[in-house]
Amino acid sequence: MNKQTNSQRRFTVIELPVFQIVADSLGLPFKYLPELVKYGGVPFLLMLVVSAISFLLTREDASKNAMSALMAVAHFVLFTPFSVTWSKLAIFGRPAIATDPPFAYSRTRWLYLLATTVMVISLVIIAGPSFALVRYGQRNFYNEVVMWGGMLMVAGFILFGIGFVRLAFVFPAIAIRKYAGILAAWNQTRGNIERLAAIIVLSYAPYFVVREILDSLIGYHPPGLAAAARGCLDMLLIAMATTALAGPALAYKRIVLDEHEAAPAPSQAIPSGQ
């Protein structure tokens, strides 16, 4: 009976309730506020330290592009433990993270970071050459080169976006130690690419909109306390946006996990060291 059920689920498209999942994802930070502070507080404070170092280096004429890359790498590295814990929390609830330390790396978290690194490298490979072509055209005033480079870059982003959505279940699967390979993740999202893309976009959109509104209201401040407060607020919104990964995690739970699979009891919580 179990084999028959699994076979049927494998070839049956389960339509995702987009707005319900988005609402649940956006509500998780309020529902699990103590866990948000416990597991998100340390990486947030460490990101503030990295941001301060980046600011000081920029004032010493360090490359802004290099500092932006530093901030991006620091964000992925520091927020990986939180991303794994938050995905487990979204899927199974509090019992699943009962033994998770506030900030630590384990085999699962290293694998999650590896998957994130592969994703970023893939984006660079797909969109990097066309971006370089656009920059070359701009510097040498070759409008035709800029046009073709821009078209290639847009095509690259579309290609990456499709691949990212189709493989979005890789990350929650790694977080709960049910990773079954890229092909499995690709098949699991079959028939739901539009809904899953909507879930991802809508889960992140409020944080992006709020950040843009605050940027327009606050404006630029010269270096000082006001600028530091603005930077802290900006970093807080970026950190909060990380909770939006609950959207694809909840979609993964809806499609992949069996309906009868219950959340692990505290004594059966997923070990943090794995």
Side-chain angles (χ1 to χ4, degrees):
M1 178 64 70
N2 290 336
K3 291 182 179 179
Q4 183 179 359
T5 302
N6 290 336
S7 177
Q8 291 173 349
R9 289 174 60 87
R10 192 174 302 168
F11 295 99
T12 301
V13 175
I14 302 175
E15 294 188 0
L16 291 171
V18 174
F19 294 107
Q20 178 186 339
I21 291 177
V22 171
D24 291 342
S25 174
L26 295 176
L28 281 182
F30 303 98
K31 182 179 180 181
Y32 296 119
L33 183 59
E35 287 77 14
L36 176 66
V37 175
K38 178 181 178 180
Y39 296 101
V42 173
F44 170 67
L45 293 176
L46 291 176
M47 277 301 299
L48 290 181
V49 174
V50 175
S51 180
I53 294 173
S54 175
F55 173 75
L56 293 175
L57 292 176
T58 302
R59 294 193 66 181
E60 296 297 326
D61 295 328
S63 169
K64 290 186 178 181
N65 290 334
M67 292 302 99
S68 297
L70 171 65
M71 292 294 294
V73 170
H75 175 82
F76 287 128
V77 172
L78 294 176
F79 274 91
T80 287
F82 173 77
S83 299
V84 172
T85 298
W86 197 256
S87 296
K88 290 161 57 178
L89 181 65
I91 294 173
F92 291 129
R94 286 191 174 99
I97 63 170
T99 59
D100 280 19
F103 183 81
Y105 261 87
S106 63
R107 183 174 61 187
T108 299
R109 289 160 176 79
W110 282 115
L111 183 58
Y112 194 99
L113 180 60
L114 176 61
T116 303
T117 303
V118 171
M119 176 193 70
V120 174
I121 292 176
S122 299
L123 176 60
V124 172
I125 293 175
I126 292 174
S130 56
F131 176 77
L133 188 62
V134 170
R135 294 295 296 164
Y136 172 80
Q138 289 174 339
R139 290 171 181 171
N140 294 278
F141 304 102
Y142 295 153
N143 293 332
E144 188 174 351
V145 173
V146 173
M147 181 187 69
W148 284 106
M151 292 175 62
L152 289 173
M153 187 163 60
V154 170
F157 278 122
I158 293 174
L159 178 63
F160 174 81
I162 294 173
F164 176 77
V165 173
R166 289 301 305 266
L167 298 176
F169 286 173
V170 164
F171 296 96
I174 291 175
I176 64 172
R177 304 205 318 274
K178 288 184 177 293
Y179 175 66
I182 292 177
L183 183 59
W186 183 274
N187 290 331
Q188 287 161 358
T189 58
R190 182 175 52 187
N192 268 300
I193 182 171
E194 298 88 353
R195 297 181 184 87
L196 187 54
I199 288 171
I200 294 172
V201 171
L202 293 176
S203 296
Y204 282 95
Y207 301 104
F208 175 79
V209 172
V210 171
R211 187 185 179 199
E212 290 298 312
I213 292 175
L214 290 177
D215 279 347
S216 62
L217 293 176
I218 296 175
Y220 170 77
H221 287 283
L225 292 178
R230 179 183 181 277
C232 291
L233 181 59
D234 187 64
M235 197 60 61
L236 178 61
L237 286 172
I238 295 175
M240 286 294 298
T242 309
T243 63
L245 55 83
L250 291 170
Y252 172 84
K253 177 182 180 182
R254 183 90 179 194
I255 291 179
V256 179
L257 300 183
D258 294 333
E259 295 179 1
H260 301 292
E261 183 174 8
S267 60
Q268 299 174 325
I270 299 174
S272 61
Q274 296 185 11

